[in-house]
Amino acid sequence: MAKQLTLLLVNADHGERQTVIRTLQKLNVFQIIELNDTQAALQVLKQRAVDLVISGLNVGKIDGWRFSRMIRSGLLKTPKNTPIVLIPPTYCERIAETTARSYSIDAVLPLERHDVLPQVLANVLSTHLEKSSRLNLLLLEPNEQKAADISEHLALSFTCNQVATENAALSEFLQNDYSIVLLDATSTRAETTKELVENILQHKPSQAIVTIIDNQNADYAEQLLLLGVTDFVRVPYNLSVLSKVCDHAARREDFMVSYAEFAHKVEQLSRREQSYKELFSAHQRILLHLNTVVLELDATGCIRFINPAWEQLTGHKLKSTLATRLCDYVQKSDLPALNKAIEEVLSGPYTSTVELQLIHHSGASVWVECRFQLIKNQTNIASITATIDNIHERKEAELQLRHLALHDTLTGLHNRYFFDQQLNHFCKDAKLKDDIEHALIYIDLDHFKIINDSKGHQQGDIVLQEVAQLFRAHISQEHLIFRIGGDEFAILLKNTRLLDAHMMAESICSAIEGHQFHSEEASYTISCSIGLTQISRVNCDPNECLKQSDIALYIAKNLGRNLVHCYSKEDAKNSTLQTGLEWGHSVREALKNNQFELHYQPIWDFKLNKIAYFEALLRLVIDDKLIYPNQFIPALELLNDTYLMDQSVIRESIRAVANHPELHQISLNLSAQSFLDERLMPHIQACLRDFQVPAHCIIFEITESASINNLSATQAMINQLNQLGCHFSIDDFGTGFSTFSYLKQLPAQHVKIDGSFVRDMLNDPIDLALVKAVNDISHSLDKCSVAEYVESKEIFDELKNIGVDYGQGYYISKPLPVEQLKQAMKTILSLKTAC
């Protein structure tokens, strides 16, 4: 049986708690922690995580709304996106839904509707996502700068989606749900704006619309209001005023609907007293038309009485049902449960309840709950009364909930939660039996991120679904297939020797490589890398097995991808790789969370005696400490994820050039992996466009060894950068040093002399000769030379005498954050120009 989900139930009212528990206990899905106060609940959540929270409204000094906000803060042991369902005694729907959005609550359900709680929980668990209280806003603004200013100012309350034309606005509105539409009517024709407003309100009359209009056009403003526009602002306007107008407009419908619902509740209360008076007179009619099936059985299970609800539930006629046996209408698989329930009634304690499936007249199955009770008359003759209620929807919700708890919603494969359970089970099984061996296969799709980014997430999802089908086709049902997350999968092979497991893994590699994946534009192929480890009595620790398969997977990637690597203790890379993987994941999280700084090091122009440009150098900030590139780049290369680093550096460096005029030109280092990534050029173009930075302000650098490894691709990329207007530099030139001839083939403007030659050039005549040689050949090819590691005045002077164009090193300046650099520039200039 699958491990139960942990549910924290917080409610001050004992009766309300019991109602919820009774509703959920038959699902047998949850382990319930029952508490009556949010402060006690917070003490629990400070110590441990739970899978789901159900809270009442009045639950102590910290009410249910603020209790939810505490969970969303991320300060507790439970994840901040833990699903939360609020169950108040009663509520007005729109007020509750609006407030729930603000407090990031997944669902609000009144206690009186507790019977649909299983369906609500199934839906909540199937849409388990990060919550946001911001409202969606569609912005029609042709001016990109205005749009950026508006989006930035409204970002606290709204998620803005900007379009530039009326057609694009209408198309986007029809495809998505927006709380507010903001139209800049100053840059469009009046009739076009009116037509757009009419089309929007025709599809959704209650849509909130705010327009920006010209200061003098009062008639135009009146016409827009008559069309149904919610509000307007006049130019010139204050962004704070615009924010308030948008906020009020977006929530207007909530307030109006909430008031109507509140009035309706008051009216309901006034009618309730009259309803109670009519209840008694209607009592008999209700019994006659009861939806619950009522039967009377004899001691053998033969039906002696039945009410009309039977026909509605099962489709069988009353006359044909009388004198037949109840077991004739029950699915064979449920007959043992029915017989046991009847035996329990006859032998005492005279009542019994059972859930089973009845056979409908159409042949379909209907889930019902049967409650049996023994009755004896004055002559001690026994009969059994039974009530049967339709629980089909509840049971379907329970089955759906069980499925969602154990399966990935996109692919239908088992999920990570079930994987952890089954890996523990397989390891325990292997530990107890000498002759049992299982295998764990860990799979990662090669370069799947490129598909996601270039083709879109929708096409990426289709690929994942097709991959899941390939797994099912090549792995028999006795084995278990899981989607761990993203493009990572795992397979647990039951009772499988290592050699057989390796053959299965190879067949998976071949199947994926040989499969054609199709998009609207073209077809393409992908591959996968696979790590494999054995589960046996001597290797039965779940965490260790998972680490082994992870290590084997990344060794497979480093060996060239599209292959299977079996974990071996003799593999000398294991300890280093394991540490590198763990560190690489930490580095990747730091980059995703923008935990980094850029420092800038001046590059000195020897001929003009001034700073020529600056090199941007990345520093990560982890645990309040600066981490330098030599400490984290190898880990990122291990994960094949240097593109994330380069993407962050490019964007933040170009942003810095836009914000700090002192950084008139900068150079950026690119990794070999990112340099040949098809996503790089669009990203550079987008950053230059977004921050309005001229392309000639940016110099890109790549090492000599990386450029030689794929010369034709390097040439193509440099040509694209040059056409864009960017400059290019070959870094660390001289490390390969097999030939200068390939320099002629690379249209780079700068050549950096490797610092290892520069550092000892005053003491080593060979190094000095190499520096001169690189400088001469660079000039002969009309390229500028740049010397690294200028650590002393003597080296500085000698490079200047040799005729090197530019110098870089600690003697000129250490890399500094931009604010410190501004303060140090006068000192740098005065000292070097005095030389």
Side-chain angles (χ1 to χ4, degrees), residues 703-722:
T703 62
E704 172 196 359
S705 57
S707 56
I708 291 176
N709 286 339
N710 197 334
L711 188 58
S712 60
T714 303
Q715 285 178 310
M717 179 59 75
I718 296 176
N719 281 324
Q720 290 182 53
L721 289 170
N722 287 338

Side-chain angles (χ1 to χ4, degrees), residues 131-412:
K131 304 298 182 297
S132 172
S133 60
R134 294 193 297 168
L135 302 175
N136 291 328
L137 181 146
L138 176 60
L139 171 62
L140 171 56
E141 177 52 75
N143 187 297
E144 293 291 333
Q145 185 58 51
K146 286 184 181 179
D149 292 342
I150 291 172
S151 298
E152 181 177 1
H153 197 82
L154 300 182
L156 188 61
S157 300
F158 298 94
T159 300
C160 298
N161 185 8
Q162 181 251 341
V163 294
T165 66
E166 288 81 7
N167 288 338
L170 182 59
S171 174
E172 185 64 26
F173 172 81
L174 294 176
Q175 295 180 56
N176 298 287
D177 186 26
Y178 290 95
S179 297
I180 184 169
V181 178
L182 176 58
L183 310 176
D184 186 350
T186 64
S187 57
T188 58
R189 293 189 304 107
E191 293 304 316
T192 305
T193 301
K194 291 178 185 178
E195 183 179 354
L196 175 59
V197 170
E198 289 175 344
N199 285 331
I200 289 174
L201 294 178
Q202 181 180 359
H203 286 90
K204 185 179 178 183
S206 62
Q207 178 63 51
I209 304 176
V210 173
T211 56
I212 301 171
I213 65 170
D214 186 78
N215 186 41
Q216 304 300 323
N217 203 340
D219 291 338
Y220 185 33
E222 181 181 4
Q223 293 170 15
L224 290 175
L225 291 176
L226 290 173
L227 281 175
V229 168
T230 310
D231 209 340
F232 65 89
V233 293
R234 299 180 301 170
V235 294
Y237 57 85
N238 183 288
L239 284 172
S240 297
V241 173
L242 178 63
S243 179
K244 290 181 180 179
V245 170
C246 290
D247 188 72
H248 292 160
R251 301 186 187 278
R252 180 192 67 158
E253 184 188 4
D254 286 332
F255 297 144
M256 294 175 67
V257 175
S258 298
Y259 179 81
E261 290 179 350
F262 185 77
H264 179 63
K265 291 287 184 181
V266 172
E267 182 181 359
Q268 283 183 323
L269 290 173
S270 65
R271 292 178 178 175
R272 187 166 294 174
E273 183 177 357
Q274 180 64 29
S275 298
Y276 284 140
K277 293 178 181 179
E278 296 174 355
L279 183 60
F280 181 77
S281 61
H283 186 66
Q284 294 301 318
R285 294 195 302 274
I286 292 173
L287 288 176
L288 290 174
H289 298 87
L290 194 65
N291 287 330
T292 298
V293 177
V294 179
L295 306 95
E296 183 179 345
L297 311 174
D298 63 19
T300 65
C302 187
I303 300 172
R304 298 196 306 199
F305 168 81
I306 194 167
N307 71 335
W310 173 261
E311 287 191 11
Q312 183 179 356
L313 177 65
T314 67
H316 297 288
K317 299 297 183 181
L318 296 181
K319 289 184 179 179
S320 63
T321 301
L322 287 171
T324 60
R325 294 167 56 84
L326 180 59
C327 61
D328 296 336
Y329 304 94
V330 175
Q331 289 284 6
K332 289 183 178 180
S333 58
D334 293 329
L335 286 176
L338 173 65
N339 294 331
K340 180 180 179 182
I342 292 178
E343 289 174 5
E344 288 177 351
V345 169
L346 293 173
S347 59
Y350 308 123
T351 61
S352 183
T353 301
V354 65
E355 293 180 1
L356 44 79
Q357 298 176 84
L358 293 179
I359 304 172
H360 193 273
H361 183 68
S362 64
S365 295
V366 181
W367 277 101
V368 297
E369 181 182 70
C370 300
R371 291 177 296 277
F372 299 102
Q373 183 173 5
L374 184 67
I375 298 176
K376 293 184 178 181
N377 60 18
Q378 294 178 347
T379 59
N380 209 32
I381 297 177
S383 63
I384 301 172
T385 62
T387 58
I388 301 177
D389 286 306
N390 187 340
I391 60 167
H392 194 76
E393 288 188 7
R394 190 201 81 191
K395 201 68 178 180
E396 288 293 313
E398 174 190 338
L399 296 174
Q400 181 188 8
L401 185 60
R402 287 182 179 276
H403 183 85
L404 289 171
L406 303 177
H407 290 78
D408 169 53
T409 54
L410 176 65
T411 62

Side-chain angles (χ1 to χ4, degrees), residues 59 119 142 276 370 377 420 493 631 648 664 699 719 796:
V59 282
Q119 294 96 312
Y276 284 140
C370 300
N377 60 18
D420 291 336
L493 300 175
Q631 296 173 271
S648 302
H664 54 276
I699 302 170
N719 281 324
F796 182 92

Side-chain angles (χ1 to χ4, degrees), residues 440 442 488 531-533 544-556 567 577-578 581-582 585 639:
L440 169 58
Y442 206 70
E488 295 182 357
L532 170 64
T533 191
E544 185 61 28
C545 289
L546 189 56
K547 284 183 180 179
Q548 291 174 3
S549 63
D550 196 26
I551 289 171
L553 169 64
Y554 281 99
I555 291 177
Y567 177 82
L577 185 60
Q578 184 170 336
L581 288 175
E582 293 172 356
H585 289 303
L639 292 173

Side-chain angles (χ1 to χ4, degrees), residues 604 825-835:
W604 188 259
M825 280 182 66
K826 289 184 179 180
T827 304
I828 296 170
L829 290 168
S830 63
L831 290 177
K832 303 304 171 296
T833 53
C835 293

